[in-house]
Amino acid sequence: MSRRPRIKLEKPIAHYHVMTRTAQQEFYLGDDYVPGFKQVMLDIFQDVASVFYVDILAWVIMDNHYHLCLEVQKPPKDAEDLRRRFERLQEINVGKRRWQPNLADACYKRFTDLSEFMKSVNYRTAIAFNGARGTKGHLWGARYKSKIVEDENGLLKVMCYIEHNPVTAGLCRTSSAYPWCSAGYLKRGLARGEAIDFPAIDFLKNQPRKRRARNYIELVDELALRLQGLPSDPEIGIKSYALPISDAELEAWRKEFASKAPEDWSHQAFGSEAFQREIALQEQTKMQKVTKVRREAVKRRRCESDDQGAKNKHM
C-alpha cells in the first residue's frame, strides 16, 4: 500500500501541529530509561530550530510521545543567512564541511522543509538515546503525524491543547506546573528574570511585548482549570487582562479537547470544514500523481524485462 503523502503548504509562513510516538509506545522518554533525557530532547529541539527556518511556538514532552506546534517560514533567499545556518549545522554536527555558494539552493530547500526538520529532530534524539544507553535500535515508532493549522484562532487552540497534555494525563493541575512543556519552561524563565520574546499571535498582538509570555501562561493555566470544571485560582493572576474566550467558545474547546480533535490524524488539516476539504483534495491529487508515477515505473520495468527475455530467447 502506498504511503500517505505529506501535505505541506508553499506559503511564506505555515503552521503545523506535529506529534511523534515512541516505538511500541514504551515510556522511553521517562527517567527510568535515561535520566534527564527530556532536557536532552529540548536541547535538540532548540539546536535544530536554530538551523532551520522554524520557530517552535509550543511543545510538550511526555514519557512516550511529544507534540510540537511549529511555524515554518519560507523567507526570501539570503545567501549570507544560509551560510550562517550551514555553519551552525556544522557546529552541531561537529562537521568539517565548508560553505560553498553552490550549496545555497540545496540548503534553502532543506532548511525550509518540515519533513527535513522532523527527520533531523528524530534522528538526533534517537542517536542521543541509544548513545546514553549503549544500545541500538528504534526509539520512534511510525512516521511523525502532522496537521496544517488554518489560522491564528486554530493556532492558539492547538497550542493550548498541547500544553493541556500533562493536565489530561493527571500529572498536574495547571499546565505551567509541568516542567516539560513550553508553559512550564516559560514560567521558569520568567522566574529567573529572563527577557522572553513571545510571538504576537491572536489576542497577544494587543499585549505589551514584555507581557506576552506571562499572559500566555495565565491563559493556558486558566483554561486548564476551566476545562476541568475547577474554579479560577487567584494566584494565576488572570484578572490582569480579560480572558479572550467566551463561555460558548470555552464549551466548544472542551468538546474538541475531549474528542482529541486537534490530533485527529485521519486528516491533515485543523480548521474549518472548507479548509479540511481543501487539504483533503490536495492529498487526493498528490496521491493520484504518486500512484500514476509508480504504475508507469512498474509498466516500464515489465517492458524492459520482456525485451530482455526476448533477446535471451533469440541468443
Side-chain angles (χ1 to χ4, degrees):
M1 182 178 178
S2 298
R3 195 162 77 163
R4 185 179 188 182
R6 183 84 64 192
I7 302 301
K8 291 171 280 189
L9 297 184
E10 296 298 323
K11 295 170 56 177
I13 294 178
H15 296 105
Y16 299 88
H17 173 201
V18 300
M19 186 274 291
T20 303
R21 291 192 182 278
T22 56
Q24 288 82 48
Q25 298 192 34
E26 283 289 334
F27 298 117
Y28 290 141
L29 312 183
D31 286 343
D32 289 344
Y33 280 89
V34 178
F37 189 64
K38 289 186 177 73
Q39 181 62 56
V40 173
M41 288 186 62
L42 177 57
D43 292 342
I44 290 173
F45 291 167
Q46 294 172 337
D47 281 346
V48 176
S50 71
V51 173
F52 284 73
Y53 289 97
V54 172
D55 285 341
I56 302 174
L57 303 182
W59 56 271
V60 66
I61 306 173
M62 306 297 283
D63 282 354
N64 66 350
H65 69 284
Y66 70 85
H67 291 263
L68 300 174
C69 183
L70 303 174
E71 179 176 285
V72 180
Q73 304 153 7
K74 289 184 180 291
K77 198 177 297 182
D78 182 335
E80 183 60 24
D81 185 48
L82 287 167
R83 181 188 64 79
R84 287 194 297 268
R85 291 174 185 272
F86 176 84
E87 290 174 351
R88 172 62 178 152
L89 178 62
Q90 300 310 304
E91 179 184 337
I92 294 171
N93 289 345
V94 195
K96 298 180 180 179
R97 292 187 66 189
R98 292 187 176 182
W99 170 255
Q100 299 291 336
N102 60 1
L103 296 174
D105 289 344
C107 285
Y108 182 82
K109 183 178 180 180
R110 181 183 180 190
F111 296 162
T112 58
D113 187 81
L114 171 67
S115 295
E116 289 291 336
F117 174 83
M118 292 301 297
K119 177 181 176 182
S120 185
V121 164
N122 287 342
Y123 171 77
R124 292 169 190 276
T125 48
I127 291 294
F129 179 83
N130 283 323
R133 287 178 56 82
T135 57
K136 296 181 180 180
H138 294 287
L139 171 61
W140 305 112
R143 299 168 74 199
Y144 75 90
K145 309 291 187 182
S146 71
K147 292 180 80 71
I148 305 166
V149 184
E150 180 179 17
D151 53 28
E152 288 192 353
N153 178 265
L155 182 63
L156 182 63
K157 192 180 298 184
V158 165
M159 292 170 68
C160 289
Y161 177 83
I162 289 172
E163 307 280 13
H164 199 59
N165 261 249
V167 178
T168 303
L171 300 177
C172 50
R173 187 165 168 265
T174 57
S175 302
S176 69
Y178 183 67
W180 301 112
C181 70
S182 39
Y185 181 78
L186 289 170
K187 187 175 183 178
R188 295 196 304 276
L190 290 172
R192 292 191 295 266
E194 296 176 4
I196 298 173
D197 189 13
F198 197 78
I201 59 166
D202 203 78
F203 78 99
L204 293 170
K205 289 178 180 176
N206 301 321
Q207 303 298 322
R209 182 184 295 270
K210 62 182 180 180
R211 281 287 309 174
R212 286 178 195 154
R214 192 176 302 279
N215 287 356
Y216 173 72
I217 295 168
E218 292 172 355
L219 169 68
V220 296
D221 281 352
E222 178 71 6
L223 281 173
L225 295 175
R226 294 198 188 186
L227 290 170
Q228 296 173 86
L230 298 175
S232 298
D233 188 340
E235 293 183 5
I236 291 177
I238 197 73
K239 300 303 180 185
S240 62
Y241 69 100
L243 186 68
I245 299 174
S246 67
D247 290 341
E249 288 176 309
L250 184 67
E251 183 59 30
W253 282 40
R254 182 182 287 110
K255 291 179 180 178
E256 286 191 75
F257 282 21
S259 66
K260 296 190 174 182
E263 60 169 310
D264 176 5
W265 307 116
S266 62
H267 50 82
Q268 297 187 57
F270 182 71
S272 65
E273 291 185 5
F275 182 66
Q276 291 182 28
R277 287 195 298 270
E278 176 189 342
I279 299 302
L281 181 60
Q282 288 187 34
E283 182 179 344
Q284 182 182 6
T285 302
K286 189 172 182 178
M287 191 65 188
Q288 289 172 347
K289 289 180 179 178
V290 170
T291 301
K292 182 180 179 181
V293 169
R294 287 176 176 167
R295 285 176 177 171
E296 289 175 349
V298 170
K299 184 178 179 180
R300 187 167 56 252
R301 286 196 297 269
R302 285 176 179 170
C303 290
E304 291 172 354
S305 178
D306 291 344
D307 290 345
Q308 186 63 42
K311 288 180 181 179
N312 293 338
K313 186 175 181 180
H314 291 293
M315 286 179 66

